[in-house]
Amino acid sequence: MKKGYFGDFGGQFVPELLMPPLLELERAMETIVRSEEFDRQFKALLKDFVGRPTALTRCDNLSQRLGLDLWLKREDLAHTGAHKINNTMGQGLLTKMLGKGTLLAETGAGQHGVATATAAAKLGLECVVYMGAVDIRRQAHNVRRMELLGARVEPVKTGTQTLKDAINAALRHWIAEQRDTHYCLGSVVGPHPFPEMIRDFQAVIGREAKAQFRERVGRLPDMVVACVGGGSNAIGMFHEFVPEPGVELVGVEAAGSGQPDCYHSATLSLGSPGVLHGTRTKLLQTGQGQILPSHSVAPGLDYPGVGPEHSDLQASGRARYVSVTDDSALAAFQTLCRTEGILPALESSHALGWVLDNARDIKPGSSVLLCLSGRGDKDLEIVEQALASQKESKGD
Ligand SMILES: *Cc1c(COP(=O)(O)O)cnc(C)c1O
């Protein structure tokens, strides 16, 4: 296999000026990240600060209703409310061990910015977060959280003033300030070694879940399901199960409204191969290679690319990728609240929405392990607005 590739996908499609920090990171992956000292400190942070291991919860009420054995890996219980903190603590610790003083990040909805600002505060690092001006208006709450945590939020006013423009701005900043700055990318995207490094930091999800499931059920699940934006919670959940042929892997993307020609984020289901943000992967693009706008009711799924390893898992047939509409995710959100007492993130609600919509086609009694990537408290405004407009369009 070519260095930094997953089959035909991955690589390092970056300007020459970005190669020195990428090579430095590749070396750090071999030396620092593999060291006993890193392992010891990372494990301690995950346990005492992040709150790992997160729980494995059986959905007793939903299982009965669906005729399945449904289990949730509870990343919503991790500090800051989602899996993103696993990655930012790993990269934060690496930054410190590299002797650098600043964590740089991009953020869309603000969740990765908050997780990065949290890691920076805990580890005594400076933090600069690039965020599209449109997103800053939409997510004022998370901007306040980042500022309270001591981060500097830089508005990005180019392009669509959203996530992909924030990534471009952060990459430019990194080129200029690479000596003292580490770019803390938020998902398993971007040039090598980010997809591999971030997968390894998130793989704790699947490692824990596999051991917990074995202990409680005595075998492996029949099916593992996770939502896919950039793909980090999904690859973190899948990684440990990829070598287990009896375990079916299902990644769930956001189909938007589901109307023909609507904007969506179903990159693997409907996209085509190309290069974005330094990596070759599947993308939402025009025939001429212009990146298309993406959309999802779940802010964390709203990205026109996807991690290259998922493109390869799809190409090899090892994992299957499906998509779920905004409405299905909203219905799943409400179902989990009422039947199990858990408010799921809208992103995670896509994974659950697929299980609810397709339960009849899954062999009765199958065990399904679902990654509940985050908690839904952050989404209450979006949910209330979406439910109100559903009511209006139904004319009542
Ligand atoms: C950011 C986010 C996602 C999407 O990111 P991935 O890299 O695909 O995991 C999913 N769920 C939650 C709760 C998020 O905050």
Side-chain angles (χ1 to χ4, degrees), residues 82-84 111 186-188 227-234 300-301 345 347-348 373-375 378:
H83 67 292
K84 287 191 168 77
Q111 294 301 113
S187 189
V188 284
C227 67
V228 178
S232 68
N233 86 90
L301 300 184
E347 293 83 5
S348 329
S373 53
R375 67 172 181 231
K378 69 182 178 61

Side-chain angles (χ1 to χ4, degrees), residues 91-334:
Q91 292 197 56
L93 181 61
L94 178 57
T95 302
K96 219 174 141 177
M97 288 191 167
L98 278 167
K100 296 187 176 191
T102 302
L103 269 186
L104 166 68
E106 85 296 337
T107 197
Q111 294 301 113
H112 174 59
V114 170
T116 306
T118 301
K122 173 68 181 166
L123 297 166
L125 301 165
E126 297 290 313
C127 184
V128 181
V129 181
Y130 282 87
M131 188 169 185
V134 167
D135 287 333
I136 286 182
R137 280 196 296 279
R138 286 195 292 212
Q139 307 286 343
H141 182 71
N142 276 335
V143 175
R144 288 205 298 277
R145 288 169 82 194
M146 285 183 264
E147 286 172 350
L148 284 170
L149 291 160
R152 192 172 93 224
V153 180
E154 292 279 352
V156 178
K157 295 180 177 144
T158 52
T160 53
Q161 310 191 11
T162 56
L163 177 61
K164 81 175 163 52
D165 313 292
I167 296 181
N168 289 329
L171 284 169
R172 275 194 297 275
H173 181 119
W174 200 28
I175 288 176
E177 306 286 341
Q178 49 189 262
R179 192 181 302 251
D180 189 53
T181 299
H182 171 69
Y183 181 23
C184 182
L185 202 48
S187 189
V188 284
V189 299
H192 176 72
F194 283 106
E196 196 181 315
M197 178 176 70
I198 295 167
R199 176 199 69 201
D200 290 350
F201 291 149
Q202 292 289 4
V204 65
I205 303 173
R207 235 178 2 253
E208 284 177 8
K210 192 181 194 183
Q212 290 167 318
F213 196 91
R214 266 215 173 105
E215 194 189 311
R216 302 274 293 276
V217 186
R219 55 182 182 84
L220 294 179
D222 297 308
M223 185 184 276
V224 171
V225 185
C227 67
V228 178
S232 68
N233 86 90
I235 210 77
M237 186 65 159
F238 289 176
H239 188 58
E240 192 75 11
F241 293 101
V242 167
E244 306 284 357
V247 180
E248 191 179 351
L249 305 176
V250 182
V252 184
E253 300 188 304
S257 70
Q259 300 300 315
D261 299 331
C262 75
Y263 290 136
H264 56 80
S265 308
T267 314
L268 290 159
S269 311
L270 299 167
S272 55
V275 171
L276 177 65
H277 298 139
T279 192
R280 183 171 191 279
T281 187
K282 286 182 84 173
L283 304 174
L284 301 177
Q285 56 186 334
T286 66
Q288 283 74 43
Q290 296 296 313
I291 301 301
L292 286 165
S294 55
H295 168 77
S296 169
V297 72
L301 300 184
D302 195 342
Y303 178 64
V306 68
E309 192 168 4
H310 286 292
S311 295
D312 182 50
L313 286 171
Q314 182 189 43
S316 70
R318 179 59 191 94
R320 176 154 69 105
Y321 294 88
V322 294
S323 64
V324 152
T325 62
D326 292 346
D327 284 354
S328 274
L330 283 162
F333 176 97
Q334 296 174 84

Side-chain angles (χ1 to χ4, degrees), residues 6-24:
F6 306 93
D8 289 335
F9 302 99
Q12 288 175 318
F13 296 85
V14 298
E16 217 37 52
L17 289 166
L18 264 187
M19 283 312 292
L22 289 180
L23 291 171
E24 181 185 31

